[in-house]
Amino acid sequence: MTTSSLPPETTPAQARSALLEERIRQEPGRFRVLTGDRPTGRLHLGHYFGTLHNRVRLQDLGVETFVIIPDYQVLTDRDVADHLVEYVEGLLLDYLAIGIDPARSTIFTHSAIPALNQLLLPFLSLVSVAELGRNPTVKDEIAHSRQAAVSGLMLTYPAHQAADILSCKANLVPVGQDQLPHLELTRTIARRFNDRYPGADGPVFPEPDALLSAAPLLPGTDGTKMSKSRGNTIALAADADETARLIRGAKTDADRHIDYDPVNRPAVAGLVLLAALCTGGDPHDVAAQIGTGGAAALKRTVTEAVNEFLAPIRARRAEYARDLPQVRRILREGNARVDAIADATLREVRTAMRADY
Ligand code: TRP
């Protein structure tokens, strides 16, 4: 059995992901990935080690990859999408800097694809209000929303995500644990559409699989979840001085002996893990090397590791930043490519629904 080497606490979703990894290695051409990030700020190292790195890995394995910048979806938890141009361009620079290659992967913005958005109407007819209301990720996002009232956009968010994924007929979505309920709904929508509107040439939509990343969760510089709103992130765009300052201000404890103990010493363990991820080493070895050097030695090690790791990414980012017209062209080309794909999908949908007059 392929899953026998997995630890006993493996969830069904993790077991499925392990199986998928094997199939991806064997036949990368059978997969099409779609994933993305809302343009609400700068991407940080938590994003990098959690998801971005994995995208580049899949691209490099030969999997066709689509990266959506869901700009409309910024409005799910706030009334106004601020700094959209700045954030979208920041994402583009980050993607290009970490190695998303526009010759092999397609980056696009949600609002630029009319056919994608048209899928939303039939899709919404396939889900009940109760189903939308009990989605645990939506519930959590509502709890943390900046808005006084839950908008229709927030409630229907998972159906939008289904339209993002299914407009491109992606069959693989690399996500974190929190996105699993959304993906379950995407599968449900695909299945119900295929059942209700059987296409003449077989089902219109694939039932996309979630691909969970095996990466350990990187906490922020205070040992809690890395998140922009907590001010504990290190942005990919941060320069060497800003990075050094952020790590100097990171939370540690008084115990001079450095070890890797995420349960009892989350702040120290977070820094050790960060150094390990940046150097490609094992966190226990990183901790052992620092030994009894205390917080100062730990921070020196982490700063050096992060700055060394980010140096080539920063250099590429700066290069692209000097040529913004080219970056904008890359986005326009991505949008044109997805526009054609989503148009073709919509045509199939209308044919299956017998609305092809
Ligand atoms: N909901 C995702 C997030 O908040 C972003 C997203 C939008 C997405 N559409 C998607 C992710 C489609 C994967 C596939 O991070």
Side-chain angles (χ1 to χ4, degrees):
M1 273 230 337
T2 28
T3 52
S4 59
S5 59
L6 294 167
E9 67 273 21
T10 305
T11 64
Q14 284 167 330
R16 174 88 188 133
S17 292
L19 199 73
L20 284 165
E21 285 291 352
E22 220 170 83
R23 294 204 2 226
I24 293 165
R25 267 190 301 277
Q26 285 159 4
E27 288 184 280
R30 285 184 45 176
F31 293 91
R32 182 181 270 188
V33 157
L34 188 137
T35 182
D37 310 277
R38 291 195 306 155
T40 54
R42 305 201 292 176
L43 292 176
H44 52 65
L45 285 170
H47 294 124
Y48 182 83
F49 290 112
T51 60
L52 301 175
H53 162 75
N54 199 31
R55 275 179 220 172
V56 179
R57 183 182 67 89
L58 290 166
Q59 166 197 276
D60 292 347
L61 281 172
V63 178
E64 193 182 9
T65 300
F66 290 81
V67 182
I68 184 170
I69 301 180
D71 46 359
Y72 274 149
Q73 292 168 25
V74 170
L75 299 172
T76 47
D77 63 353
R78 62 202 79 193
D79 294 331
V80 178
D82 283 324
H83 311 291
L84 257 190
V85 175
E86 178 192 333
Y87 290 158
V88 168
E89 285 180 357
L91 288 183
L92 284 164
L93 290 174
D94 287 336
Y95 293 154
L96 296 167
I98 62 161
I100 301 273
D101 172 5
R104 291 178 288 162
S105 297
T106 304
I107 308 171
F108 70 104
T109 39
H110 178 181
S111 65
I113 317 295
L116 184 168
N117 287 292
Q118 232 192 103
L119 291 181
L120 209 62
L121 275 84
F123 283 8
L124 283 173
S125 79
L126 296 166
V127 291
S128 70
V129 172
E131 266 173 316
L132 291 168
R134 63 171 175 259
N135 180 306
T137 301
V138 171
K139 275 195 196 160
D140 188 62
E141 285 178 14
I142 287 170
H144 292 102
S145 163
R146 307 175 183 192
Q147 293 175 303
V150 179
S151 71
L153 188 67
M154 170 65 98
L155 193 66
T156 55
Y157 184 17
H160 292 252
Q161 203 159 315
D164 298 343
I165 296 164
L166 295 176
S167 63
C168 291
K169 296 199 183 182
N171 57 5
L172 194 64
V173 186
V175 287
Q177 197 77 33
D178 64 317
Q179 296 285 310
L180 286 179
H182 290 356
L183 211 41
E184 210 37 65
L185 193 80
T186 298
R187 293 170 63 85
T188 301
I189 287 176
R191 202 163 45 239
R192 287 184 190 160
F193 187 94
N194 292 339
D195 285 348
R196 193 168 297 178
Y197 307 107
D201 313 316
V204 173
F205 291 115
E207 271 185 57
D209 263 304
L211 185 69
L212 284 176
S213 153
L217 206 62
L218 179 66
T221 51
D222 58 357
T224 73
K225 181 176 187 282
M226 191 182 273
S227 129
K228 256 180 334 241
S229 56
R230 295 175 196 240
N232 62 2
T233 67
I234 299 171
L236 293 178
D239 64 22
D241 289 343
E242 185 184 350
T243 301
R245 187 171 48 74
L246 288 167
I247 295 170
R248 213 176 306 123
K251 201 173 142 187
T252 48
D253 59 34
D255 186 347
R256 289 194 59 82
H257 177 252
I258 300 303
D259 58 7
Y260 181 59
D261 182 354
V263 174
N264 297 309
R265 298 175 78 188
V268 166
L271 288 171
V272 170
L273 177 62
L274 178 53
L277 288 169
C278 286
T279 55
D282 179 88
H284 294 283
D285 295 342
V286 170
Q289 270 160 28
I290 300 164
T292 54
L298 171 62
K299 289 181 177 181
R300 256 196 320 277
T301 301
V302 177
T303 304
E304 213 170 280
V306 173
N307 276 334
E308 204 162 296
F309 174 79
L310 283 179
I313 294 178
R314 287 175 184 142
R316 269 198 303 275
R317 200 179 194 283
E319 218 171 286
Y320 279 110
R322 277 193 292 275
D323 192 1
L324 280 180
Q326 190 209 345
V327 173
R328 295 185 189 122
R329 197 159 50 240
I330 288 170
L331 177 61
R332 274 200 305 276
E333 283 169 11
N335 283 343
R337 220 175 298 157
V338 175
D339 204 42
I341 293 171
D343 264 344
T345 304
L346 181 61
R347 261 198 309 279
E348 280 181 58
V349 161
R350 293 181 59 196
T351 303
M353 295 178 78
R354 302 180 190 277
D356 51 343
Y357 349 96

